[in-house]
Amino acid sequence: IDNMPDLYPGFSFAFGFPSERHMRLGAALGLYHRVESINEIAWSSLPVKRSILRRTRLIASSELQQYRDQFNALWSEMREDFADFIVPVRDYDRWLYRYAKHPEISYKVVLISARFTNKPVAAFVLAEHSDFVELVDYVGGSDGVGFAVDRARQFACMLGKSMVKGWFTGALVPCFMGQSLSVTPTGIEVPTNLRGRTKEQAV
């Protein structure tokens, strides 16, 4: 939803997920216009395989501050590689607030770096469910996506889960699907705000 300064001071965009019923109602009232949809990608787990070139760290919440520079470097790389997308901020401060300090959910924050240079390659967040592992978030350039997905699948195997699942907009599915088992529409859509403009202008 764009142009919402009254609700979100200092921000140009708000990224929301109305239910199908709300989407239909908003469209009928001339408030919303559909611009994207959310899809679920599923991957099978992978046996753990040690990499000679890359190191993977599971970072405790109390240790995240030590990696501030690496996370900010990955965010800079993501901003450049995904410049054609609207990507919510994923810098260190965001990760600290969203995942390390979450009051209820114990997220697993994982950093992949080059073994010999210590240059960050990618970072991602996992949440463990009863029968699968959820790939919640990612930060890094386009070259790091495959490494992150494969490592998430290996973590699923270590946790005794058979599958990794994640939600992505349709535009990002080709970037992340790789060797996925399936890509399934969730029925959740992403709207843009029609207030102050015509439906034709929003298309």
Side-chain angles (χ1 to χ4, degrees):
I1 303 173
D2 63 348
N3 300 323
M4 300 284 285
D6 293 339
L7 294 177
Y8 304 96
F11 292 90
S12 299
F13 295 91
F15 197 65
F17 308 99
S19 67
E20 183 179 356
R21 178 185 177 190
H22 290 152
M23 185 68 221
R24 291 199 311 268
L25 177 61
L29 293 175
L31 299 175
Y32 295 157
H33 176 79
R34 177 191 174 279
V35 293
E36 254 290 8
S37 58
I38 304 297
N39 300 270
E40 181 181 85
I41 305 179
W43 302 267
S44 60
S45 62
L46 284 177
V48 179
K49 183 178 180 181
R50 187 174 184 272
S51 172
I52 299 175
L53 300 178
R54 288 171 294 279
R55 178 186 292 112
T56 303
R57 296 183 178 93
L58 181 61
I59 303 175
S61 298
S62 59
E63 301 173 342
L64 193 64
Q65 188 172 2
Q66 302 174 29
Y67 301 95
R68 176 190 295 268
D69 292 343
Q70 287 94 326
F71 277 87
N72 284 336
L74 288 171
W75 169 234
S76 295
E77 188 175 353
M78 189 172 197
R79 291 178 66 182
E80 182 176 342
D81 283 6
F82 291 87
D84 293 335
F85 300 86
I86 296 175
V87 181
V89 173
R90 284 174 163 83
D91 61 6
Y92 164 80
D93 291 336
R94 170 64 176 168
W95 280 58
L96 182 67
Y97 166 78
R98 180 67 180 85
Y99 302 115
K101 294 186 175 182
H102 199 286
E104 298 178 355
I105 302 175
S106 179
Y107 289 107
K108 291 176 171 57
V109 178
V110 182
L111 175 66
I112 305 173
S113 56
R115 186 173 293 278
F116 300 112
T117 65
N118 208 36
K119 179 182 177 182
V121 175
F124 59 93
V125 177
L126 298 177
E128 187 176 356
H129 297 269
S130 60
D131 56 348
F132 69 96
V133 170
E134 180 183 1
L135 179 58
V136 178
D137 209 342
Y138 170 85
V139 65
S142 55
D143 290 343
V145 169
F147 299 126
V149 170
D150 283 352
R151 199 67 185 107
R153 296 169 67 188
Q154 292 173 17
F155 264 97
C157 183
M158 287 190 290
L159 294 169
K161 314 297 183 184
S162 63
M163 191 174 298
V164 176
K165 297 180 181 180
W167 282 15
F168 301 85
T169 56
L172 282 172
V173 165
C175 303
F176 281 85
M177 62 185 298
Q179 298 182 9
S180 61
L181 289 173
S182 63
V183 178
T184 308
T186 64
I188 297 173
E189 297 178 330
V190 181
T192 187
N193 183 37
L194 286 179
R195 294 194 311 173
R197 61 175 65 185
T198 66
K199 295 181 181 180
E200 289 75 18
Q201 288 174 318
V203 174

